[in-house]
Amino acid sequence: MIEQLLQLDEQLFIFLNSLGSERWDALWLGITYKFSWIPFYALLLYLVYRNFGLKNTLIVMVLVAILITCTDQLANLFKNGFERPRPCREEHLQELIRYVAPRCGRFGYFSAHAASSMALAVFLGLLFRRVYKYLPFILLFYAGIVSYSRIYVGVHYPLDTLTGMIIGALLGTLIYGAARKLNVSVKLKNE
């Protein structure tokens, strides 16, 4: 059963990875590069400050730091525990895939990029859902394209990214619960 699932995952990876072309490589490398998103993160930080005030912004920043640390360290634990080679490390795939990334780590189960982006999307989406109607969908789109970028550049299988997204969604929901317990809420206009 597991072997069939991994085989299907590999076939889906080959299909999704082969959708790319040199014309789009720079775009997808930019999407997968974490520092490319700094302006987006700065906008989100501004929106948090504008809607929640300074005290709550500081709390949200600490919670986001905890969230990113948890997703990153959990991904490292899984990668070293499962030791599933990344597709860019599989010799039998070298002639079949497009490897675009500047480097390839040893193991890839699960994607820390997918987990972190989905965790942030779910946490902030839940936090902002009553303030900005469409922001949760924009955040989920962001998490989806970051996750797909890992397949595009050749460093993660679809199951790696799907698992990362699920774990990220769970952690984002958990941290949102912590924010509620800490009374993080929209500031009133007369504050």
Side-chain angles (χ1 to χ4, degrees), residues 89-103:
R89 291 280 182 183
E90 295 283 7
E91 284 188 38
H92 72 279
L93 293 177
Q94 297 309 308
E95 299 297 318
L96 302 172
I97 69 169
R98 300 181 70 254
Y99 175 60
V100 183
R103 63 183 186 84

Side-chain angles (χ1 to χ4, degrees), residues 5 11 33 50 53 56 58 63 116-117 122 137 144 151 174 178-179:
L5 179 63
Q11 291 170 358
Y33 184 60
R50 180 175 164 211
N56 285 333
L58 296 174
L63 291 174
S116 296
S117 60
V122 168
F137 300 105
I151 297 167
L174 184 68

Side-chain angles (χ1 to χ4, degrees), residues 21-118:
S21 69
E22 285 185 34
R23 169 185 241 175
W24 296 102
D25 288 353
L27 171 70
W28 286 102
L29 281 169
I31 289 170
T32 206
Y33 184 60
K34 60 186 170 188
F35 294 117
S36 298
W37 291 96
I38 288 176
F40 182 65
Y41 300 147
L43 173 64
L44 291 173
L45 183 60
Y46 168 74
L47 291 176
V48 170
Y49 174 73
R50 180 175 164 211
N51 290 283
F52 294 91
L54 180 60
K55 178 185 170 196
N56 285 333
T57 298
L58 296 174
I59 292 170
V60 168
M61 289 173 64
V62 168
L63 291 174
V64 167
I66 291 169
L67 188 62
I68 300 304
T69 301
C70 287
T71 56
D72 189 52
Q73 293 308 308
L74 195 55
N76 286 335
L77 182 67
F78 270 64
K79 287 173 186 176
N80 293 324
F82 283 95
E83 294 186 349
R84 182 182 188 196
R86 291 176 184 255
C88 48
R89 291 280 182 183
E90 295 283 7
E91 284 188 38
H92 72 279
L93 293 177
Q94 297 309 308
E95 299 297 318
L96 302 172
I97 69 169
R98 300 181 70 254
Y99 175 60
V100 183
R103 63 183 186 84
C104 181
R106 283 182 61 192
F107 305 120
Y109 187 76
F110 60 88
S111 169
H113 278 74
S116 296
S117 60
M118 183 57 83

Side-chain angles (χ1 to χ4, degrees), residues 118-144:
M118 183 57 83
L120 184 67
V122 168
F123 172 58
L124 291 180
L126 289 170
L127 208 58
F128 279 119
R129 74 178 185 264
R130 291 193 177 101
V131 181
Y132 299 109
K133 183 178 177 180
Y134 298 107
L135 186 58
F137 300 105
I138 293 168
L139 290 167
L140 290 174
F141 178 74
Y142 145 78

Side-chain angles (χ1 to χ4, degrees), residues 6-20 87 90 92-98 148 151-152 154 156-158:
L6 293 176
Q7 187 67 33
L8 181 62
D9 191 33
E10 186 176 285
Q11 291 170 358
L12 183 58
F13 168 77
I14 292 168
F15 171 75
L16 292 172
N17 177 263
S18 70
L19 294 175
E90 295 283 7
H92 72 279
L93 293 177
Q94 297 309 308
E95 299 297 318
L96 302 172
I97 69 169
R98 300 181 70 254
Y148 173 72
I151 297 167
Y152 184 98
H156 281 292
Y157 291 103

